[in-house]
Amino acid sequence: MSLTAGLWLALGLGLGGVCGGWLTARRLLPRIRRLEEGSERIAQLDTARKQFIATASHELRTPIFSLGGFVELLEDDDLDPATRRRFLGHVSEQLERLRKLSVDLLDLSRLEAGALELRPEEVDLGELTRSVAAEFEPALAARDARLELHLRRHMEIVCDPVRVAQILRILIDNALGHTAAGTRILVSTGRSEGRVHVAVHDDGAGIPTEQLNRIFEPFYTGDAVHGSGLGLAIASELAERMHGHLTVASEPGSTTFELVLED
Ligand SMILES: Nc1ncnc2c1ncn2[C@@H]1O[C@H](COP(=O)(O)OP(=O)(O)OP(=O)(O)O)[C@@H](O)[C@H]1O
Ligand SMILES: [Mg+2]
C-alpha cells in the first residue's frame, strides 16, 4: 500500500469511528434522558413520601398529646363532677379524631399503593344516596341546616356501595362543616351520555378560586374548621379508582361537588 492510500485509509477509519460514535451517542441520548427523568421523578416521589409521613405524624401527635393532658387532669381526685364530665367530653372528642385520622390515613395509603379492593355489585344509587343522607339527620339538626334530595328513579349501576357511600359522606360532611349554620344542602342524581352523577350542592360562602386547585391535596385545609384535609383527597382517589372523577365548581353562595361514574 502506498503512503497516500494508507493515509486515506486511516482518515476513513478515523471519520468512520467518529461517525459511529456520534450515531451511538445519538441513540443513547434519549435513553440517558429518560433515566435522568426517571431518577428525578423518584427523588420527587421520595420527597412527597417524606412530606406525607411528616404531616401525618404531626396530625397524629396533636390529639395524642391532648389526650395525655386530659388524662393527667382527670387523675385529680378533687375534680368536681361537671369539670370531670367536660374533660371526659374532650377525651372522647380527641379519641374520635384519632379514630377518623387512622382510618383515613390507612385508606389513603391503600389507595395510593393501588391496594384498595373494590367490591362492585348492582346498586340503586337513589336508595344509597337516601340512606347516606339519613345518617346526617342529627348533624343537620345540630347546625340548623336542611338537606334536600332530588333523586331520579331507576338509577341502578354497578359499583362498590361502601365506597360510593364513603365519597357521599365526605361531600355532605364538608357541605355541612365548612359552611355557616342554616345552610341549605341539595343532593341530586342524574344520568347522561353513558354516565351517572351525584351532585352535592350547598349555598355556603364558597371556596376562594386560589384554593380550588389545592383542596384535593392530602392535608390541605382552607379554613379554620378543624379537619385533617384528607376527605377530598380520599374521595377523588376513590372516584378515580372506580374509573370516575370528582369535580368542583364554586362561587360565593354556591358550591357544587359532583361525582361522575360510568353507567
Ligand atoms: N362545601 C365546601 N364549602 C366550603 N369549603 C369547602 C367545602 N368543601 C371543602 N372545602 C374546603 O376544602 C378543604 C379540604 O376539604 P377536605 O374534606 O379534604 O378536608 P377537611 O374537611 O378540612 O378535613 P377532613 O375531611 O379530613 O376532616 C376544607 O378544609 C375547606 O377549606
Ligand atoms: Mg372534609
Side-chain angles (χ1 to χ4, degrees), residues 100 170 173-174 178 227 229-232:
K100 182 176 178 299
I170 288 169
D173 182 62
N174 280 348
H178 294 292
L230 291 177
L232 289 177

Side-chain angles (χ1 to χ4, degrees), residues 100 174-175 178 202 207 215 220-223 227-232 257:
K100 182 176 178 299
N174 280 348
H178 294 292
D202 70 69
I207 304 170
I215 54 174
Y220 181 82
T221 55
D223 55 22
S228 299
L230 291 177
L232 289 177
F257 283 89

